Amino acid sequence: MNTFQVDIIEQCKQNNRTAQLTLYNQYCDGMFVVAMRFVKDSMEAEDIVQESFLKAFAKLNQYKAEVTFGAWLKRIVINKSIDCLKSKKANMQELDEVHLKVVDHTYKDEWLVEDTISLGEVKKAILELPDKYRFVVMLYLIEGYDHQEISEILNISEVASRTQLYRGKSKLKTLLTPLRYGTRS
């Protein structure tokens, strides 16, 4: 981290509003994009970004610079986004881990889809996944988190993360299989 960044963060810790605004302006657009990946509503995404910055500034003394400030803030935004989605689906069924099996394949072509499928179609298909699969798929594929990090973020076991990723990928693959003659081949 450069010294300018360190200075701004130190000023923010002392409640310097100008420094907080500088830090906000530096990260707000990127964090808005992260929130939009989850909530798909610009007003909610803006609220999540605002709440995330408020939390970040309130907890700034806990920031230890082990990761970049942007990565630390991104984690807050992702957690806030998931909390927002969970609050909408308060009656979401819990997954019984007894029925889970560990699945971890390493096939080379596991994520290959036909060349005719666009990125937009892939993103649309991800949105059609059930929440329990969509969150894990997004955190793994788009945000680049590993299973340990996903388990901490979603408060599930690593086994559940792996299983939900596998099932999410299978469902995603089905959704992305083009229709031919009215059926998927």
Side-chain angles (χ1 to χ4, degrees):
M1 198 165 29
N2 64 35
T3 56
F4 177 72
Q5 186 88 24
V6 171
D7 290 342
I8 289 177
I9 291 172
E10 285 304 315
Q11 291 173 23
C12 288
K13 285 180 180 179
Q14 297 164 2
N15 277 336
N16 180 319
R17 300 293 182 218
T18 306
Q20 289 175 341
L21 183 60
T22 302
L23 205 57
Y24 175 83
N25 288 333
Q26 185 177 353
Y27 288 100
C28 68
D29 292 339
M31 296 304 123
F32 177 78
V33 171
V34 171
M36 279 295 291
R37 285 188 199 133
F38 287 87
V39 296
K40 306 298 181 226
D41 179 276
S42 61
M43 298 297 279
E44 277 185 323
E46 287 176 13
D47 289 345
I48 288 167
V49 170
Q50 296 295 325
E51 291 172 18
S52 297
F53 271 99
L54 289 173
K55 182 174 184 176
F57 289 140
K59 305 278 185 182
L60 205 50
N61 288 326
Q62 295 177 7
Y63 173 65
K64 303 291 184 218
E66 294 164 348
V67 296
T68 65
F69 178 78
W72 185 72
L73 181 61
K74 182 178 178 182
R75 185 100 179 230
I76 294 171
V77 171
I78 289 171
N79 286 333
K80 287 275 184 200
S81 298
I82 290 171
D83 289 346
C84 176
L85 291 171
K86 281 182 178 179
S87 70
K88 287 182 179 179
K89 301 234 178 193
N91 59 352
M92 205 161 96
Q93 267 188 334
E94 288 295 318
L95 203 61
D96 187 1
E97 287 192 35
V98 176
H99 295 85
L100 296 178
K101 61 179 180 177
V102 177
V103 184
D104 200 9
H105 295 284
T106 53
Y107 297 116
K108 280 171 90 176
D109 63 345
E110 190 171 0
W111 285 98
L112 293 181
V113 294
E114 290 193 21
D115 293 338
T116 58
I117 296 175
S118 70
L119 179 60
E121 290 172 307
V122 173
K123 287 180 178 180
K124 183 178 180 244
I126 289 174
L127 292 177
E128 293 177 25
L129 293 174
D131 286 349
K132 61 185 174 187
Y133 302 148
R134 184 177 62 218
F135 296 156
V136 175
V137 168
M138 287 177 65
L139 289 170
Y140 189 84
L141 289 181
I142 297 172
E143 303 300 336
Y145 287 108
D146 62 26
H147 290 292
Q148 179 184 354
E149 293 169 320
I150 293 169
S151 70
E152 291 170 10
I153 291 169
L154 296 177
N155 199 21
I156 60 175
S157 68
E158 286 185 49
V159 172
S161 175
R162 291 179 194 283
T163 302
Q164 290 175 16
L165 178 65
Y166 174 77
R167 291 177 181 169
K169 289 190 305 188
S170 296
K171 190 154 182 68
L172 190 59
K173 200 169 188 178
T174 301
L175 290 170
L176 293 173
T177 304
L179 289 175
R180 288 199 184 102
Y181 310 112
T183 61
R184 298 190 192 276
S185 53

